[in-house]
Amino acid sequence: MRDSPRPPSRREVLVAGIGAALAPSLSALAQTPTTGPRMLTRPIPSSGEALPVIGMGTWQTFDVGGAANERAPLAQVLQKFFASGARLIDSSPMYGRSEAVVGDLLKQSGQQQTPFLATKVWTRGKAEGAAQIQASLQKMGHGRMDLMQVHNLLDVDVHLPVLREMKAAKRIRYIGVTHYQRGAFDDLEKHIQGSKLDFVQLPYSLAMRDAEARLLPAAKEHGVAVLVMEPFDKGNLFRKMKGKPLPDWAAEFDCSSWAQFFLKFILGHPAVNCPI
């Protein structure tokens, strides 16, 4: 009589699951050039344009004054950001002076890599929205913008037609919507399915996996790129793991920090383009 096969251990199940999830990313990495910054890219479904898989948000961090001692550290952050091969910078009029600070620092930096600039419209009314969008174009992009999103779906049915007109006129390249609350997921899904979006921005992390149920599959089905906000659950993931070592098996998928672990989990989902 043959012995029954040994059931897999918890570690083996986790390694197999994460490894399978990361397989598309690792395959993409194997196909990237060996010269210059080596950051994974994933295609924007609506265009095929390659976008680096790590982006940067600007909420609070870039809302600073004009003093050199306030801006110098942010200039260094941007320098390291671009040196890593990253491109996407996300902002909003909600974030105080962040749009203008990003725009000023980019203009002063003289860096050669073209950033992928993303911001949002966050007001009510067609005229008010158009004025805010124009202000953002000038503050952050000095006349150009890659992605314009409707922030938290505020007056979305008024702003989306305006964004579509601007995209058709080639004043912006992509359009999208965002929301941070679980209670808005039904509305996000509706727009993913029916609003011909290029992007959706939503919360997703090891601590908050609700988007896996319907939003991420819907985005994959309808060809909508996914930007992930709050990839570290507002820092709660780091607080929970403080003082705890990574499991030994994390090294098996080239992971040497909890930040990498959390990001690799997010990028393990094939619908995700870029956590910020």
Side-chain angles (χ1 to χ4, degrees):
M1 181 176 180
R2 299 178 61 183
D3 293 336
S4 299
R6 177 181 62 84
S9 67
R10 181 174 181 272
R11 171 186 171 279
E12 290 170 335
V13 171
L14 287 171
V15 170
I18 294 177
L22 290 173
S25 298
L26 297 175
S27 175
L29 179 58
Q31 299 172 19
T32 58
T34 57
T35 59
R38 295 185 64 206
M39 180 174 287
L40 289 171
T41 64
R42 287 187 175 173
I44 299 170
S46 64
S47 69
E49 177 184 356
L51 188 66
V53 296
I54 299 296
M56 180 167 60
T58 59
W59 180 61
Q60 293 186 330
T61 51
F62 278 73
D63 185 13
V64 301
N69 65 334
E70 293 181 280
R71 295 198 173 194
L74 298 177
Q76 294 176 6
V77 167
L78 285 175
Q79 183 182 24
K80 292 181 178 180
F81 179 74
F82 290 122
S84 74
R87 291 179 57 216
L88 186 144
I89 304 172
D90 178 76
S91 195
S92 171
M94 177 195 273
Y95 304 164
R97 295 160 290 190
S98 294
E99 288 180 316
V101 171
V102 169
D104 291 347
L105 292 176
L106 289 175
K107 189 174 183 180
Q108 295 164 12
S109 70
Q111 62 86 27
Q112 297 182 354
Q113 186 175 5
T114 302
F116 187 102
L117 298 178
T119 192
K120 309 173 185 79
V121 54
W122 183 62
T123 188
R124 292 190 181 276
K126 183 175 181 179
E128 292 80 0
Q132 189 179 77
I133 291 167
Q134 185 59 35
S136 294
L137 286 169
Q138 294 306 318
K139 289 178 185 178
M140 186 174 173
H142 299 284
R144 64 171 289 265
M145 191 62 61
D146 294 292
L147 168 61
M148 186 67 69
Q149 305 153 97
V150 181
H151 198 156
N152 293 342
L153 297 176
L154 182 63
D155 221 1
V156 61
D157 293 330
V158 169
H159 297 315
L160 273 182
V162 175
L163 297 187
R164 291 191 189 100
E165 291 175 5
M166 294 182 69
K167 180 182 176 182
K170 300 187 184 303
R171 296 185 60 203
I172 56 177
R173 300 174 61 221
Y174 300 103
I175 65 173
V177 297
T178 83
H179 215 292
Y180 70 101
Q181 291 181 327
R182 293 178 176 89
F185 278 13
D186 286 347
D187 289 333
L188 278 181
E189 184 180 14
K190 178 188 72 174
H191 286 289
I192 289 170
Q193 293 173 337
S195 293
K196 296 182 179 179
L197 303 174
D198 300 300
F199 281 83
V200 62
Q201 185 175 154
L202 49 80
Y204 179 48
S205 70
L206 261 173
M208 204 288 216
R209 299 177 59 178
D210 301 50
E212 291 176 356
R214 288 161 52 188
L215 291 187
L216 295 180
K220 187 70 174 174
E221 178 184 354
H222 293 277
V224 178
V226 176
L227 300 183
V228 170
M229 66 175 81
E230 301 180 0
F232 304 129
D233 191 37
K234 300 179 181 178
N236 289 325
L237 283 172
F238 292 120
R239 286 185 281 272
K240 290 177 181 178
M241 304 313 295
K242 186 176 181 180
K244 298 180 181 180
L246 278 171
D248 293 339
W249 50 263
E252 297 179 23
F253 53 94
D254 193 27
C255 186
S256 59
S257 71
W258 281 116
Q260 286 182 324
F261 190 98
F262 300 145
L263 291 172
K264 283 174 182 280
F265 168 79
I266 292 170
L267 290 168
H269 198 292
V272 172
N273 283 77
C274 179
I276 56 177

